Amino acid sequence: MKPNTSLNGHRFILTSFLFIIFLCILASINQVRFDKILTLSRCTFSTSSVHLLSSSSEDIRVLIGILTLPDHYHKRHFLRLVYGTQSPIAGGWVDMKFVFCNLTKEDQKVLVALEIMRYDDIIILDCQENMNKGKTYTYFSSLPGILNDTSRLFPPYHYVMKADDDSYFRLQGLVDSLKPLPRNDLYYGYVIPCPSMDPFVHYMSGMGYLVSWDIVEWISVSDIPKKHMEGPEDRTFGDWIRDGHRAKNRYNAKWSMYNYPEPPTRCTHELWPNTIAVHLLKTQEKWITTLKYFNATQGLKPSKLYHIR
């Protein structure tokens, strides 16, 4: 009986050992799956970026700063929906950030802090809130100091855009239009005056204009913009570019960028498929018309949980 008892004991030990190994393997697999779920959840719930399909050093990196006001909570939440549901971008990485000046109210300090904790898509500039007295300069000039130390990539973005919160950008179209363009000394947008197609005439419209990272760095160190901060911000920006002999590369995105069709002006255009941006969406009705035209909800999957026809 002793030999059998000894043999059974060895079998029990071996079985227990193999079972422990199996549990370790299973735990390791579950941990990997759990980590993957966490990663996916972070991507799903982070609306600060509309990321690319697959990361590559050749992909275009764009920062779009939407200049707005601290109290515009509903507008920010709406725009998070609008941009967060756009399809993943092929060949590009677009970060959407809301930009405003220092908080001045106690409720802002609580509510905006919660937004930052939840979405991480806000830049608060060290300035007093204004439209044409230096906010645009503070935005562009602050970025190198903010981003060069925190990004492992250089430049942290190939292009930086200033956009209005009543503009709707179709991000894939924006990235596709940038692919053939230079990544330095570039000034991109909708040229003013409206009838002109010459990108070297005057300046780009405030609906949304973009420059390459080298121009952002120039703005941060040059005395030209520093001494000329006040005035209509888009025209003033064009003055900086002209006086500093910058932007030998310019791109007029007209008529892929335009004002909403109603009321008709020389700057308006009918909605059409090749659109990059629509401006002056001042009412919810105009937003809804625009989003319906571009079938913004086409990614909605059928479900028994809702009935939307």
Side-chain angles (χ1 to χ4, degrees):
M1 295 296 292
K2 288 185 178 180
N4 289 337
T5 302
S6 177
L7 181 60
N8 289 337
H10 287 304
R11 286 177 178 172
F12 176 77
I13 293 172
L14 180 60
T15 302
S16 300
F17 179 70
L18 293 174
F19 182 68
I20 291 172
I21 292 176
F22 171 76
L23 289 178
C24 290
I25 293 172
L26 184 63
S28 177
I29 292 173
N30 286 336
Q31 182 62 42
V32 170
R33 290 176 176 171
F34 182 68
D35 289 343
K36 187 174 182 180
I37 290 171
L38 285 179
T39 301
L40 289 173
S41 69
R42 282 192 290 267
C43 292
T44 302
F45 291 112
S46 174
T47 57
S48 62
S49 316
V50 184
H51 287 289
L52 52 155
L53 291 172
S54 59
S55 180
S56 166
S57 60
E58 297 302 314
D59 289 319
I60 294 171
R61 300 188 298 276
V62 184
L63 171 64
I64 299 181
I66 302 174
L67 270 61
T68 184
L69 298 172
D71 287 334
H72 287 187
Y73 302 106
H74 295 298
K75 175 62 72 68
R76 289 195 291 278
H77 292 321
F78 173 72
L79 291 177
R80 288 181 181 116
L81 287 176
V82 168
Y83 291 116
T85 53
Q86 290 199 30
S87 300
I89 298 167
W93 172 9
V94 180
D95 273 354
M96 312 290 298
K97 302 287 188 182
F98 298 102
V99 181
F100 41 81
C101 292
N102 288 320
L103 307 180
T104 57
K105 304 175 184 176
E106 289 305 312
D107 63 318
Q108 293 173 351
K109 295 175 183 178
V110 174
L111 297 176
V112 172
L114 288 172
E115 284 187 84
I116 294 172
M117 293 168 63
R118 179 64 180 83
Y119 299 106
D120 191 25
D121 61 358
I122 288 174
I123 296 175
I124 302 177
L125 304 173
D126 187 11
C127 57
Q128 290 185 340
E129 198 59 59
N130 66 88
M131 180 180 294
N132 294 317
K133 294 186 178 182
K135 183 175 180 178
T136 296
Y137 168 76
T138 305
Y139 166 56
F140 282 101
S141 64
S142 299
L143 291 177
I146 294 172
L147 298 174
N148 280 342
D149 294 336
T150 59
S151 175
R152 290 177 295 177
L153 299 172
F154 188 84
Y157 298 96
H158 298 112
Y159 307 107
V160 174
M161 175 177 279
K162 172 267 167 190
D164 285 350
D165 62 6
D166 62 350
S167 295
Y168 171 58
F169 281 87
R170 302 179 72 216
L171 303 180
Q172 186 66 63
L174 173 64
V175 168
D176 288 344
S177 72
L178 291 170
K179 288 178 181 177
L181 302 182
R183 293 188 179 182
N184 66 293
D185 211 21
L186 178 71
Y187 184 27
Y188 169 114
Y190 175 103
V191 70
I192 297 295
C194 294
S196 175
M197 295 300 290
D198 182 357
F200 288 88
V201 172
H202 296 298
Y203 55 91
M204 301 298 181
S205 165
M207 73 169 75
Y209 50 84
L210 170 151
V211 291
S212 51
W213 184 255
D214 58 297
I215 292 182
V216 175
E217 292 194 314
W218 172 77
I219 292 172
S220 72
V221 298
S222 173
D223 285 337
I224 291 174
K226 191 180 299 184
K227 293 178 179 179
H228 180 30
M229 291 191 294
E230 296 192 13
E233 58 87 16
D234 43 351
R235 181 184 299 173
T236 299
F237 191 95
D239 292 342
W240 303 342
I241 297 297
R242 183 195 65 242
D243 296 344
H245 304 288
R246 300 285 153 170
K248 66 177 182 294
N249 302 310
R250 301 193 185 191
Y251 183 81
N252 178 21
K254 196 182 292 180
W255 284 96
S256 292
M257 297 174 68
Y258 50 90
N259 287 349
Y260 186 82
E262 299 294 336
T265 69
R266 293 194 297 175
C267 300
T268 59
H269 190 292
E270 293 300 316
L271 299 174
W272 69 315
N274 293 329
T275 295
I276 292 174
V278 183
H279 186 220
L280 295 184
L281 301 178
K282 297 290 188 183
T283 66
Q284 181 169 314
E285 290 73 22
K286 290 181 178 181
W287 271 104
I288 297 304
T289 299
T290 302
L291 293 172
K292 285 180 65 177
Y293 178 86
F294 294 111
N295 201 9
T297 60
Q298 63 184 338
L300 182 67
K301 297 178 180 180
S303 173
K304 295 180 179 180
L305 297 175
Y306 45 76
H307 303 281
I308 300 177
R309 297 179 181 179

